[in-house]
C-alpha cells in the first residue's frame, strides 16, 4: 500500500458494518475516499489491507489499514478526538458502551439473517430471539434520547445501520418492531434526523430488494 | 494498592477468560477479592451482576459490575493507569484490539470444534486453527511478545492459547502441531508461561485436563459459561 496521505474506506454499499464507519467519519467531519468493493471479486487492495479476514470495511489512514467495524469506530474516535466524542469519558460508562456494542455485534446480524434465510419453526425461533434482543436493547435505551444519553454515541453508531433492515425483518418474519419495541422505533426515527445517519442509510425498501436478491441467490423460498 | 473490598472478581478456576482478568489485575498490582462460582448452581450475586449473559468473569468495582473479559481489560487499563497494558497510539491500539478479537472469535471457535467434534469436522477445524496460528506466528516476527518487549493487552488476550490449547489437545486427543510449524508462536508460548504473573496464576494442569476431559464426555458446547 502506498503511504498516501488521507483516508480511504473499502466498503460495500449496503453493509451495516461499513455504515458504522461511514457514520463515524461523517460525525467527525472527516473527508475520505470511498471505494466500493465487489465482494465476489475482491480487489488486490482489500486482500492486502485485510489478509486475515478479507472483509470490508477496512479504513486505510495514511496507508495504514484498520479492520473490523467497531475497532474502526474506536480508532476514528481516538484520532479525530477534537469533535463529536462517540465514547463517554468515564471508564465505567465506556465499559457499558463496549458491552452493548458487542451485544449488537454478536446478536443482531446473525439473528436477522436467520429471519430471512429460514422458514417454519426455525424462523419462528429466530423471530422470538429477535424480539428478545430488541426488548433488551429497548430496556437499555430506556427514556434516553440516544444509547449514549444526550449525545449520539458508540452504541448508537453500532446499532443504527440495522434500523434500515427492520422492514426486511418485519416482512420476512411477520412482526412489527414498533409493536414489540416502540422506544427502539422512535429512537430509529430520531437518529434519521442526524445528517450522518440520513446520508448513510439506504431506504429500507431498497435494503429489502437486496435481501430478496440474497434469498434468490441462496435458494430460499 | 487498592483496598480489596472495592474490587471483586467472580470467576471459575478452570476458565481462561477469568485468568485473563486476574493476570491484568496482578500486572497492575490491584488487590481484589475472588469469589469462586459453581456454574451449575450460580449465585444470586452473579445473576444480579450479569443478568444478560449469566457468565464469569464479572468484575465488580465499587459495586459496579463490568462483564466480558476484553471489556474488563480495557476498563482495568483506563481505571488504574500504572503499568499500562494497551498502547497509547490509536493505530497500535486498533491492532491490539484486532488480534484480541481474532483469537476470541475465530481461534476459540475452531479450537472448540477441534475439541468437541470427531472425524471430518474435527480435521477441518484443526486445519483452520493452523491457518490462524500461522497468522499469529507471522505477527510475532521480530517481537518477543505481541505487545513488544513486555506482555500487554494482546498477550493477555491470546494467552489462553499458551496453556488451554495444550490442555484441550490432551483432553480431546488432537494436535495443532504448533511446535514444529510455528516457531515464533511456540517460542512465545514458552516465554509467556514463564512470566512470573502468568506462571503463578494458572490452574493445576492435571486437574484442568481432567476437568475438560469430563466436560467433553458431557458432550455439550455450552457448559463452561465464560467470556
Amino acid at each position: 500500500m502506498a503511504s498516501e496521505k488521507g483516508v480511504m474506506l473499502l466498503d460495500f454499499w449496503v453493509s451495516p458494518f461499513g455504515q458504522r464507519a461511514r457514520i463515524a467519519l461523517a460525525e467527525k467531519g472527516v473527508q475520505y475516499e470511498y471505494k466500493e468493493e465487489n465482494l465476489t471479486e475482491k480487489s488486490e487492495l482489500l486482500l492486502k489491507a485485510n489478509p486475515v479476514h478479507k472483509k470490508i470495511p477496512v479504513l486505510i489512514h495514511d496507508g495504514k489499514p484498520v479492520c473490523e467495524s467497531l475497532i474502526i469506530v474506536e480508532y476514528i474516535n481516538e484520532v479525530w478526538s477534537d469533535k463529536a466524542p462517540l465514547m463517554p469519558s468515564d471508564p465505567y460508562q465506556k465499559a457499558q458502551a463496549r458491552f452493548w456494542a458487542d451485544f449488537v455485534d454478536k446478536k443482531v446480524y446473525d439473528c436477522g439473517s436467520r429471519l430471512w434465510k429460514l422458514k417454519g419453526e426455525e424462523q419462528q425461533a429466530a423471530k422470538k430471539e429477535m424480539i428478545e434482543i430488541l426488548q433488551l436493547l429497548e430496556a437499555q435505551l430506556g427514556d434516553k434520547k440516544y444509547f449514549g444519553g444526550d449525545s449520539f454515541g458508540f452504541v448508537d453508531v453500532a446499532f443504527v445501520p440495522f434500523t434500515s433492515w427492520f422492514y426486511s425483518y418485519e416482512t420476512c418474519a411477520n412482526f412489527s418492531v414498533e409493536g414489540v419495541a416502540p422506544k427502539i422505533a422512535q429512537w430509529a426515527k430520531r437518529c434519521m434526523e442526524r445528517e450522518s445517519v440520513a446520508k448513510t442509510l439506504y431506504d429500507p425498501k431498497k435494503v429489502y430488494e437486496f435481501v430478496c436478491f440474497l434469498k434468490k441467490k441462496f435458494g430460499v423460498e | 494498592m487498592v483496598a480489596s473490598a472495592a474490587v471483586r472478581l467472580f470467576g471459575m478456576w478452570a476458565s481462561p477468560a477469568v485468568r485473563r482478568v486476574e493476570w491484568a489485575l496482578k500486572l497492575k498490582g490491584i488487590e481484589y477479592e475472588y469469589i469462586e462460582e459453581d456454574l451449575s448452581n450460580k449465585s444470586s450475586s452473579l445473576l444480579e451482576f450479569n443478568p444478560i449473559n449469566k457468565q464469569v468473569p464479572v468484575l465488580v468495582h465499587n459495586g459496579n459490575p463490568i462483564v466480558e473479559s476484553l471489556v474488563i481489560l480495557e476498563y482495568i487499563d483506563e481505571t488504574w493507569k500504572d503499568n499500562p497494558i494497551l498502547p497509547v497510539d490509536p493505530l497500535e491500539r486498533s491492532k491490539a484490539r484486532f488480534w484480541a478479537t481474532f483469537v476470541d472469535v475465530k481461534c476459540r471457535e475452531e479450537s472448540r470444534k477441534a475439541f468437541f467434534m470427531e472425524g471430518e469436522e474435527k480435521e477441518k477445524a484443526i486445519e483452520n486453527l493452523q491457518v490462524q496460528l500461522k497468522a499469529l506466528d507471522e505477527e510475532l516476527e521480530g517481537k518477543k511478545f505481541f505487545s513488544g518487549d513486555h506482555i500487554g493487552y494482546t498477550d493477555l488476550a491470546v494467552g489462553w492459547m499458551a496453556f488451554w490449547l495444550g490442555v484441550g489437545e490432551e483432553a480431546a486427543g488432537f494436535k495443532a502441531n504448533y511446535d514444529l510449524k510455528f516457531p515464533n508462536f511456540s517460542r512465545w508460548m514458552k516465554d509467556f508461561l514463564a512470566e512470573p504473573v502468568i506462571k503463578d496464576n494458572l490452574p493445576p494442569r492435571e486437574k484442568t485436563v481432567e476437568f475438560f476431559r469430563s466436560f467433553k464426555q458431557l458432550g455439550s458446547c455450552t457448559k463452561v459459561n465464560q467470556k
Side-chain angles (χ1 to χ4, degrees):
Chain A
M1 250 149 325
S3 334
E4 282 175 24
K5 284 268 166 217
V7 183
M8 183 190 260
L9 182 68
L10 308 183
D11 204 344
F12 181 66
W13 68 279
V14 74
S15 161
F17 305 100
Q19 287 171 333
R20 287 168 171 172
R22 282 176 251 166
I23 290 168
L25 288 164
E27 286 285 322
K28 300 280 188 174
V30 177
Q31 297 298 316
Y32 66 98
E33 185 189 336
Y34 178 92
K35 186 177 181 295
E36 178 74 8
E37 281 285 332
N38 174 357
L39 297 183
T40 55
E41 210 183 305
K42 292 172 183 177
S43 72
E44 272 305 303
L45 180 59
L46 174 59
L47 297 176
K48 200 169 166 203
N50 191 357
V52 173
H53 299 299
K54 306 175 176 57
K55 283 182 171 177
I56 57 91
V58 180
L59 186 81
I60 304 179
H61 183 203
D62 294 345
K64 305 265 167 58
V66 183
C67 307
E68 300 289 287
S69 61
L70 291 182
I71 294 176
I72 292 171
V73 174
E74 286 228 50
Y75 176 83
I76 290 168
N77 190 49
E78 286 169 8
V79 171
W80 290 279
S81 53
D82 51 332
K83 190 182 170 191
L86 296 173
M87 278 288 201
S89 47
D90 170 66
Y92 181 66
Q93 296 304 325
K94 255 195 216 170
Q96 295 302 299
R98 287 187 180 122
F99 172 82
W100 284 103
D102 184 59
F103 178 84
V104 170
D105 232 24
K106 290 197 164 79
K107 306 275 187 184
V108 178
Y109 183 74
D110 272 353
C111 188
S113 297
R114 278 185 280 137
L115 286 177
W116 60 259
K117 269 188 189 161
L118 305 173
K119 291 272 153 200
E121 256 180 54
E122 285 178 319
Q123 190 192 47
Q124 286 306 307
K127 174 176 159 182
K128 183 165 178 274
E129 200 186 316
M130 180 54 87
I131 292 171
E132 272 166 25
I133 291 166
L134 290 170
Q135 290 177 339
L136 275 169
L137 285 163
E138 182 170 71
Q140 179 57 24
L141 176 67
D143 292 317
K144 300 198 297 285
K145 184 177 183 191
Y146 298 115
F147 284 93
D150 289 328
S151 3
F152 187 73
F154 191 60
V155 182
D156 302 281
V157 174
F159 186 33
V160 79
F162 292 99
T163 60
S164 56
W165 293 69
F166 284 173
Y167 176 74
S168 300
Y169 299 156
E170 289 168 332
T171 308
C172 293
N174 191 26
F175 74 103
S176 152
V177 171
E178 182 140 22
V180 306
K183 289 182 178 167
I184 293 292
Q186 283 154 30
W187 161 84
K189 287 198 184 92
R190 273 197 298 280
C191 289
M192 282 300 284
E193 289 166 13
R194 299 186 77 83
E195 198 179 334
S196 64
V197 177
K199 287 199 165 162
T200 300
L201 301 197
Y202 283 92
D203 187 288
K205 300 253 164 80
K206 193 148 165 95
V207 175
Y208 182 63
E209 254 176 54
F210 178 75
V211 170
C212 292
F213 157 76
L214 286 177
K215 280 169 76 148
K216 224 180 263 170
K217 188 173 155 183
F218 285 100
V220 180
E221 170 191 78
Chain B
M1 292 262 175
V2 181
S4 58
V7 184
R8 300 161 70 200
L9 177 65
F10 289 80
M12 188 271 184
W13 68 271
S15 157
V18 171
R19 293 287 166 167
R20 184 189 267 177
V21 174
E22 291 198 88
W23 295 333
L25 290 167
K26 293 217 190 277
L27 266 175
K28 297 260 192 183
I30 300 161
E31 277 191 24
Y32 60 99
E33 182 197 344
Y34 177 83
I35 298 118
E36 177 74 14
E37 279 286 326
D38 172 2
L39 296 179
S40 61
N41 186 17
K42 292 170 187 175
S43 71
S44 54
S45 295
L46 176 64
L47 298 175
E48 185 200 320
F49 287 130
N50 191 358
I52 297 193
N53 293 332
K54 307 177 176 57
Q55 292 169 342
V56 291
V58 179
L59 188 80
V60 182
H61 183 210
N62 295 328
N64 293 322
I66 302 107
V67 309
E68 299 290 305
S69 59
L70 293 181
V71 175
I72 296 172
L73 288 193
E74 295 225 28
Y75 175 81
I76 288 171
D77 207 40
E78 284 156 7
T79 306
W80 291 276
K81 303 226 190 260
D82 286 346
N83 302 330
I85 57 174
L86 271 155
V88 170
D89 173 67
L91 185 68
E92 295 306 311
R93 289 162 75 83
S94 74
K95 287 183 192 168
R97 288 168 178 148
F98 175 85
W99 289 109
T101 317
F102 175 69
V103 300
D104 248 25
V105 176
K106 299 289 183 186
C107 301
R108 196 149 69 128
E109 178 63 22
E110 296 307 328
S111 59
R112 193 195 304 241
K113 283 185 192 159
F115 180 78
F116 280 107
M117 296 183 174
E118 297 300 333
E120 248 183 68
E121 283 177 298
K122 189 193 199 85
E123 290 311 310
K124 183 71 194 160
I126 295 172
E127 220 180 276
N128 290 340
L129 192 53
Q130 292 187 336
V131 173
Q132 291 162 355
L133 287 170
K134 182 159 190 286
L136 290 167
D137 192 72
E138 282 168 7
E139 179 56 26
L140 279 167
E141 190 62 44
K143 295 198 289 197
K144 181 173 187 191
F145 295 111
F146 286 100
S147 305
D149 294 331
H150 307 284
I151 62 173
Y153 174 86
T154 311
D155 302 279
L156 298 184
V158 185
W160 65 268
M161 296 181 84
F163 181 81
W164 277 268
L165 202 55
V167 161
E169 288 178 337
E170 196 178 320
F174 72 94
K175 265 230 153 275
N177 283 324
Y178 39 79
D179 11 9
L180 301 168
K181 293 186 182 182
F182 313 115
N184 295 330
F185 190 76
S186 196
R187 189 237 326 135
W188 170 82
M189 285 168 89
K190 293 195 184 72
D191 288 341
F192 182 77
L193 291 176
E195 285 285 297
V197 158
I198 309 302
K199 189 163 57 105
D200 296 338
N201 213 335
L202 289 168
R205 199 171 190 286
E206 269 321 299
K207 192 179 170 196
T208 316
V209 171
E210 245 338 283
F211 174 84
F212 279 97
R213 207 171 263 145
S214 48
F215 189 59
K216 179 173 159 115
Q217 274 155 17
L218 282 169
S220 164
C221 287
T222 56
K223 283 294 188 295
V224 177
N225 290 312
Q226 57 189 331
K227 284 243 85 176

